[in-house]
Every structure is written in C-alpha cells, then in structure tokens.
Amino acid sequence: MSKTPSRSRHSSVIEAEFSLQGSKYPFVGVSETESCTFELAKILPRCGGEYSEFFNVTDVRPGRIMDAAAGNELVEVDLLNEYDDGGLFEFQVGTSCPAVTLAELGAHPREVHSSDGDGRIVAEIPPQNEPPEVIKAFLDEVPEAEFTGKRTKETITPLFTPEAIQQVLHSQLTDRQLELLEAAFEAGYYDWPRRCTGEELAEEFDISSATFSEHIHTAERRLLTVLFDGLNSP
C-alpha cells in the first residue's frame, strides 16, 4: 500500500476549474445530443486502473442514455436508479476520462457537470501535489479542456458524503455481505469488548462460523480497499 502524502498545515488547497467541450467525452457529448444534464455524484477507484463514476442524469429518458453508451467501447454503463426525468448511472471508465486523468495526476475531482454540451470540472489539488504542475499536465493530456480559474481553500472536502457512502456500500458489497455486516454492527460485534461473537451471529443466520467469517472479512476488505485507494490514488 502506498503511503499517504504528508500534509502541510500552513499550505492552502487549490481548487481549479476547467471547461470542456466536444463529443469525445460521453458526459459532454451525450448532454448535447440528448439536451440533458450530467452531474457527478461520486468517483471511486476500481481494480485494474479503472474508475466508477456515479452520475445523476436529468431531463432525459434513461433508455436514451443506455442506447447512447452502447456504441462506446471505452465505457460500461449500468442504470442504478430510475427517476421520472432521468436516473442514477454508474459509468465504468479508464484513463480516457478527464476526471480520471485529474485523479491520476493527484487532484481530487469534486464537481463534474455538463449541460447541453458545455462541460465543467472542478478539482481540489493538495499543496504537496504541486498544483501548477498538475494543471499544466492535465491541459497537456486533455487539450479540449480550458483552465478557467482557481481559488484557495483551507482543507480538502471530505472523501465520502452520506450519499456516497450508500453508493459504496451497495456497489461494493453483495446483499448478503451487507446484511451480515449491518447485523454484526448492530449486535455489538465491533464493540470492545465485543457484545456478541461470530459464532452467535452465524447461528442466528443459520450458517457456519467459517461462512460468516468469509462474508465479513470480504466485506471489510472491500470497504478498506475503497477507503485507502480513495485516499492514496487521487
């Protein structure tokens, strides 16, 4: 596991803003062809250098988004929740995405928005990651982007909002893993001293102790991977 970069208490975080246009990037191009709006809810690292981007897409029928994404070999799309005028989608992307490019360069994408073909990305860059170098490298790699301004902040925005935590739980864990993890937490399995044992919980769910341990440890491993990869990768 890579080490978390050291922090400077006396340096400010740079919040950099970029505009983006062009059909090369699905969240921009589709927003133009479908006259809809994309709003990033969360970006999370995956295995193999890929990322999951959770977008709320409004002012469009969800099927239109699925049809538009079907012809793009670089993106996999799943509809997670359907609304009257849109839905919540998970886009699995690689380094061809500008938000992922920023994350790989050491920035933290916080806002990714596109409406009618006009894209906007806001990213926080910690001082130890040399903000001027990150901005220059991003513009070199994504020539369609334009740097539109920067601001200073005292701290980085928290990694997970309550909504993002729910997305992590449901995207990373199976229903069974989540059920057992919640039951273990509520029963005091994670208290010290423990108020219940794994054997007691396994008996309650009519499974073996080994099966309970496998589910719990797998769930814990997946959540810790998201946590530490999320802290160290962007």
Side-chain angles (χ1 to χ4, degrees), residues 131-148:
E133 295 182 10
V134 171
I135 293 170
K136 181 180 184 304
F138 175 69
L139 294 175
D140 288 342
E141 293 193 32
V142 185
E144 298 84 0
E146 179 182 351
F147 178 58
T148 57

Side-chain angles (χ1 to χ4, degrees), residues 13-188:
V13 175
I14 295 298
E15 185 178 76
E17 183 173 335
F18 306 89
S19 64
L20 189 68
Q21 293 183 326
S23 59
K24 178 179 179 180
Y25 305 107
F27 81 98
V28 178
V30 176
S31 78
E32 182 174 21
T33 58
E34 298 297 332
S35 298
C36 61
T37 298
F38 281 69
E39 190 77 43
L40 182 71
K42 196 64 189 176
I43 179 171
L44 297 173
R46 296 290 195 191
C47 297
E50 294 188 341
Y51 284 74
S52 282
E53 296 178 336
F54 298 88
F55 275 97
N56 282 302
V57 186
T58 55
D59 302 321
V60 66
R61 288 188 293 108
R64 299 285 296 177
I65 301 300
M66 301 299 293
D67 291 343
N72 192 320
E73 298 180 353
L74 301 178
V75 179
E76 292 185 20
V77 183
D78 289 313
L79 175 61
L80 303 181
N81 195 9
E82 186 170 347
Y83 313 139
D84 290 339
D85 65 340
L88 174 65
F89 295 83
E90 178 183 1
F91 291 77
Q92 295 187 38
V93 299
T95 54
S96 60
C97 174
V100 170
T101 299
L102 277 167
E104 293 289 328
L105 289 171
H108 300 252
R110 295 309 186 199
E111 296 179 35
V112 181
H113 176 276
S114 183
S115 183
D116 297 324
D118 292 321
R120 175 175 175 267
I121 300 178
V122 178
E124 296 173 352
I125 311 174
Q128 66 269 17
N129 288 348
E130 303 296 340
E133 295 182 10
V134 171
I135 293 170
K136 181 180 184 304
F138 175 69
L139 294 175
D140 288 342
E141 293 193 32
V142 185
E144 298 84 0
E146 179 182 351
F147 178 58
T148 57
K150 65 180 181 180
R151 294 167 291 277
T152 59
K153 301 177 62 177
E154 292 303 317
T155 59
I156 288 285
T157 303
L159 178 64
F160 294 119
T161 63
E163 293 80 8
I165 290 174
Q166 290 300 315
Q167 290 170 356
V168 169
L169 290 174
H170 289 284
S171 66
Q172 296 292 320
L173 306 183
T174 66
D175 291 342
R176 189 59 160 172
Q177 290 166 353
L178 182 56
E179 180 185 25
L180 292 175
L181 194 65
E182 289 179 332
F185 180 79
E186 294 295 336

